[in-house]
Structure formats: structure tokens, C-alpha cells
């Protein structure tokens, strides 16, 4: 099949343009060290992933979502615990879903979302990201482990 001369020129020039764009991106990344910006909240209390125990059955979980993980990734608590989740994101919008508890939140960069959950049955509760956030999205998960012994 013969290609029209103009069609050939258009294809060649778009390939050249695409190469130029890719080259410019790589050049900027290397020369100016550009990267995806971190957008953590200004209040540093929420930016460090951690689990705080307030009393015997009251916990605070500071959960930080990023591509493609939740930190902390394993949360061990005793049965009957009331947990306050403070959720933020380092980069893009992620989801935060605990299906067994009907929890559905967004992890938004620069912001904090909060919810409280009571875990009154022992078991392993999966936290999954349910907002498409890139190539590792399907592996982005964490667990709340209620009344199960630590593996380590
Ligand atoms: Cu994070 Cu999908």
C-alpha cells in the first residue's frame, strides 16, 4: 500500500516532536532535579505515619498514602478498640476503603480526612486503595489486625 507524501511528513514530524518532548522531560529531570512534588499537610503532626495508643482500647492511626502504599501497613489492635484514622497523601489522590467496615475515604494531598471505626470482632481487615492512582494501584493495601498475634 502506498502512503501519501503529506501523510508520511505528518507522521515523521509528530515522531520528531514526541522525541523532543520526551528529551525535554528527561533533560529537565536530570538537570534541574525535577520530580513529583511532595504535598504533605503543613501541620507536621499528621505527616508522620504512626499508631498512638491513647488508652487500653482507644487508638489514633496517622495513615500516609503514597504511590503505592499505606504507612503504617500493618496495624495491630485488641478487639473492641475504637480507632481514629487521620488520613493524608504525599502525592496524588488515593482511596481508603475498609470494605468490612463500610469505610470509604479519599486520601488527599495537603489535607487530612478523619474517621472513627470500632473493631468489635477479631479478624484481619483489609484497607485497599479504590481510587486509580497509577501502575501500582492494585497492590496498594494495608491491614488492620484485630486480636491476632504479631508475626514478627
Ligand atoms: Cu492509591 Cu490507587
Amino acid at each position: 500500500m502506498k502512503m501519501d507524501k503529506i501523510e508520511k511528513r505528518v507522521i515523521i514530524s509528530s515522531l520528531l516532536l514526541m522525541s523532543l518532548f520526551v528529551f525535554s522531560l528527561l533533560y529537565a529531570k536530570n538537570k534541574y532535579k525535577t520530580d513529583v512534588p511532595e504535598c504533605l499537610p503543613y501541620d507536621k503532626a499528621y505527616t508522620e505515619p504512626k499508631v498512638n495508643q491513647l488508652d487500653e482500647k482507644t487508638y489514633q492511626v496517622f495513615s500516609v498514602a503514597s504511590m503505592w502504599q499505606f504507612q503504617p501497613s500493618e496495624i495491630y489492635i485488641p478487639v473492641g478498640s475504637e480507632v481514629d484514622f487521620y488520613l493524608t497523601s504525599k502525592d496524588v489522590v488515593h482511596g481508603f476503603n475498609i470494605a468490612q467496615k463500610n469505610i470509604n475515604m479519599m486520601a488527599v494531598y495537603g489535607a487530612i480526612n478523619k474517621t472513627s471505626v470500632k473493631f468489635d470482632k477479631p479478624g484481619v481487615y483489609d484497607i485497599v486503595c479504590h481510587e486509580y492512582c497509577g501502575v501500582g494501584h492494585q497492590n496498594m493495601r494495608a491491614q488492620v489486625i484485630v486480636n491476632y498475634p504479631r508475626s514478627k
Side-chain angles (χ1 to χ4, degrees), residues 4-21:
D4 188 71
K5 215 188 266 171
I6 296 179
E7 199 176 5
K8 243 186 225 171
R9 277 187 207 148
V10 168
I11 290 175
I12 289 171
S13 37
S14 41
L15 284 176
L16 284 176
L17 267 182
M18 275 195 284
S19 323
L20 178 71
F21 294 151

Side-chain angles (χ1 to χ4, degrees), residues 66 68 93-95 129-133 137 140:
S66 59
W68 290 277
V93 174
H94 296 275
C129 178
H130 63 309
E131 180 76 20
Y132 183 70
C133 56
H137 163 71
M140 189 169 163

Side-chain angles (χ1 to χ4, degrees), residues 57-60 77-78 80-84 116-119:
K57 294 217 165 156
T58 314
Y59 288 81
Q60 290 177 319
I77 51 165
S81 295
E82 180 91 32
V83 181
D84 293 334
S116 296
V117 190
K118 188 161 188 190
F119 293 92

Side-chain angles (χ1 to χ4, degrees), residues 36-49 62-67 69 71 86-92 94 107-112:
V36 179
E38 287 220 337
C39 306
L40 285 165
Y42 296 116
D43 189 337
K44 297 287 172 254
Y46 299 96
T47 61
E48 186 138 319
F62 295 85
S63 180
V64 179
S66 59
M67 291 187 240
Q69 60 181 335
Q71 288 176 295
Y86 297 90
L87 177 66
T88 189
S89 166
K90 265 189 191 177
D91 37 45
V92 298
H94 296 275
V108 182
Y109 45 84
I112 299 125

Side-chain angles (χ1 to χ4, degrees), residues 137-149:
H137 163 71
Q138 73 280 1
N139 299 323
M140 189 169 163
R141 51 181 62 241
Q143 288 181 323
V144 182
I145 297 139
V146 183
N147 253 35
Y148 274 55

